[in-house]
Amino acid sequence: MNESSVSRIVDYPDEPTALLQQLLDAVRNHQPESQIYMNLATIDDEFTVLNRTVLYRGISVDKCVIYATQRFTRNYKNIKANAKCAVTILMPVVSLPSQGSTPFLWQVRLLGATAVELPESELDAWWNRESLSAKIRDTIFPCGQPVDYDELKAKHDQFLKEYRASGKPLQRPPTFTAFKFEVQRYDFLKVGLNQIADRVQYRRQECGHWQAMHVAT
Ligand SMILES: Cc1cc2nc3c(=O)[nH]c(=O)nc-3n(C[C@H](O)[C@H](O)[C@H](O)COP(=O)(O)O)c2cc1C
């Protein structure tokens, strides 16, 4: 293989979350049932830095990326102790018509992200979007505790049966919560096979506007 070319991001919007939304729409046009995952790193007093995969939930009305969690997780405790986070979102195959006909890999990175917990008044809306399996886990599974599989499975099946018989929606447990990320910079990196990636970085200005520029990778 003796190929090399340089990737180029063209026609990008003024707002970073608008570009993120374009990428998400392109992924879902191609695969409607697909989920988007984020890598979330937090500051941890035992391991210094700790990361994990979390599910991308959406964008808030004030244009911040959202994720949901449980108040008994380590990521929640970490964020409450130090709200600074690092987040990446990897989309391995994106066919975005404005970027050419072939699919590209994209990475979105949130730099200098501060996690802000949403007020109680906004949590039901995010709870209502959760899958049934996630709602059941959040309601009856003891996250982080050693468990007996058969007991847990029986508990799950019984709960599911009662839920279906009741015909009532599952109430949000007090442990469920969600955060939005207030971000200093967004990186959008686009690359194809045998290419050198292009990267567009959005930098938040003091006035609140975004300045976008190509940055070498
Ligand atoms: C595909 C996938 C999606 C996940 N989504 C979430 C999520 O949205 N929120 C969350 O708190 N944990 C999520 N988890 C679990 C975390 O990766 C992690 O295991 C959990 O938060 C406990 O880690 P912690 O103790 O560092 O918080 C997900 C795991 C996987 C594999």
Side-chain angles (χ1 to χ4, degrees):
M1 192 66 72
N2 199 19
E3 299 285 330
S4 179
S5 63
V6 182
S7 181
R8 180 143 183 85
I9 300 173
V10 293
D11 293 338
Y12 45 88
D14 295 340
E15 289 272 341
T17 49
L19 181 52
L20 175 58
Q21 193 60 58
Q22 286 180 8
L23 297 172
L24 296 167
D25 291 345
V27 170
R28 287 179 182 146
N29 273 343
H30 190 60
Q31 280 189 309
E33 299 299 320
S34 65
Q35 301 271 30
I36 305 291
Y37 299 105
M38 316 194 287
N39 189 284
L40 167 66
T42 53
I43 293 165
D44 183 86
D45 58 6
E46 186 178 4
F47 302 109
T48 312
V49 64
L50 192 63
N51 65 338
R52 78 281 290 155
T53 305
V54 296
L55 187 60
Y56 166 86
R57 297 309 207 285
I59 297 173
S60 62
V61 281
D62 55 351
K63 297 178 181 163
C64 294
V65 169
I66 299 285
Y67 100 100
T69 191
Q70 294 264 67
R71 290 195 167 108
F72 45 68
T73 61
R74 191 154 182 147
N75 64 75
Y76 178 81
K77 288 170 188 154
N78 284 358
I79 286 172
K80 293 313 273 185
N82 188 327
K84 281 290 178 193
C85 297
V87 178
T88 56
I89 307 172
L90 184 70
M91 290 177 254
V93 187
V94 186
S95 294
L96 187 57
S98 64
Q99 304 295 322
S101 51
T102 48
F104 291 92
L105 177 149
W106 286 76
Q107 176 188 256
V108 183
R109 185 161 66 141
L110 283 56
L111 291 85
T114 302
V116 178
E117 192 165 9
L118 299 185
E120 287 291 312
S121 58
E122 292 179 21
L123 292 181
D124 277 339
W126 295 101
W127 169 255
N128 292 336
R129 294 177 175 206
E130 295 287 293
S131 66
L132 177 60
S133 56
K135 284 178 174 168
I136 294 177
R137 182 203 59 218
D138 288 0
T139 307
I140 62 168
F141 276 49
C143 175
Q145 290 175 28
V147 285
D148 177 89
Y149 174 82
D150 293 328
E151 275 177 26
L152 204 54
K153 168 84 168 63
K155 191 173 163 188
H156 167 273
D157 293 353
Q158 181 63 26
F159 188 89
L160 181 61
K161 200 169 139 192
E162 287 169 12
Y163 158 73
R164 285 187 171 143
S166 79
K168 291 187 193 142
L170 287 179
Q171 293 300 304
R172 169 172 61 87
T175 48
F176 176 87
T177 191
F179 288 90
K180 64 178 178 183
F181 295 113
E182 292 178 349
V183 174
Q184 283 170 260
R185 293 185 185 180
Y186 281 86
D187 256 356
F188 289 82
L189 187 146
K190 171 193 171 189
V191 71
L193 192 64
N194 298 316
Q195 280 197 328
I196 297 164
D198 189 18
R199 173 160 53 139
V200 165
Q201 189 169 85
Y202 289 82
R203 299 181 179 181
R204 185 189 282 280
Q205 306 299 290
E206 279 192 7
C207 60
H209 292 151
W210 293 94
Q211 184 190 19
M213 65 199 75
H214 290 268
V215 174
T217 52

